[in-house]
Amino acid sequence: MSDSKSDLKPIAPRPIDGPAAAKVIDFRRYRLARLINDASVQQGELARMMRASADERTQLAQALQGAQRHLATIADSYSHLLTRLAREKDFRTACQEAAELDDLEEMIRRRDALANELLDIRRTARPGGPCLSLTVGCDRPG
């Protein structure tokens, strides 16, 4: 049959007299024009996909930053909770020690000091945060 080259050869336009004048098309130029047009369409599609990918990466970066802030808040809350738990454990231990004393005045003095410390612990709670106290009588809803 034929090889990879087309059997069609360009034809020089021939002048045709009359209203039925037709233009003869050079197929190589037509194919080149089609290839250029197809490449242009593909380039436009690639540009659209790249813009969409950049938008997705921006949204992902924003989501990751939000998650990072959320995790930092959780870590801060956890640290705060651990500190308060340690202070309240110390408070309970001191209450038990005071209860074991035989001296009533010393027990009352320690009880008052410990009650003031408990109030300080509750006052240091962050405003708007949940009540993290494990002791009975927390005055904030949690």
Side-chain angles (χ1 to χ4, degrees), residues 38-54 57:
D38 291 346
S40 174
V41 169
Q42 289 175 355
Q43 185 178 11
E45 182 67 17
L46 179 62
R48 186 196 63 75
M49 290 169 56
M50 290 175 70
R51 282 191 300 273
S53 175
R57 284 193 309 272

Side-chain angles (χ1 to χ4, degrees), residues 60-76:
L60 180 60
Q62 290 171 348
L64 288 173
Q65 287 173 351
Q68 185 178 16
R69 283 190 301 271
H70 183 65
L71 288 174
T73 302
I74 290 171
D76 182 48

Side-chain angles (χ1 to χ4, degrees), residues 76-96:
D76 182 48
S77 296
Y78 184 70
S79 173
H80 184 72
L81 175 63
L82 289 177
T83 302
R84 289 199 52 200
L85 288 174
R87 288 183 71 189
E88 289 191 14
K89 180 181 177 280
D90 294 343
F91 172 79
R92 284 190 306 275
T93 303
C95 285
Q96 288 173 348

Side-chain angles (χ1 to χ4, degrees), residues 82-127:
L82 289 177
T83 302
R84 289 199 52 200
L85 288 174
R87 288 183 71 189
E88 289 191 14
K89 180 181 177 280
D90 294 343
F91 172 79
R92 284 190 306 275
T93 303
C95 285
Q96 288 173 348
E97 290 173 0
E100 294 170 358
L101 291 176
D102 291 335
D103 185 3
L104 185 60
E105 287 181 22
E106 180 65 16
M107 286 173 55
I108 292 171
R109 187 189 66 74
R110 285 191 184 189
R111 184 205 62 193
D112 292 343
L114 293 172
N116 287 335
E117 184 180 343
L118 181 60
L119 285 174
D120 289 343
I121 290 172
R122 289 184 177 162
R123 281 189 202 122
T124 60
R126 291 179 297 195

Side-chain angles (χ1 to χ4, degrees), residues 12-34:
R14 289 186 272 167
I16 299 177
D17 295 332
K23 215 179 213 183
V24 178
I25 299 173
D26 183 352
F27 285 113
R28 284 181 294 180
R29 286 187 182 167
Y30 173 76
R31 277 187 247 139
L32 180 61
R34 288 292 300 211

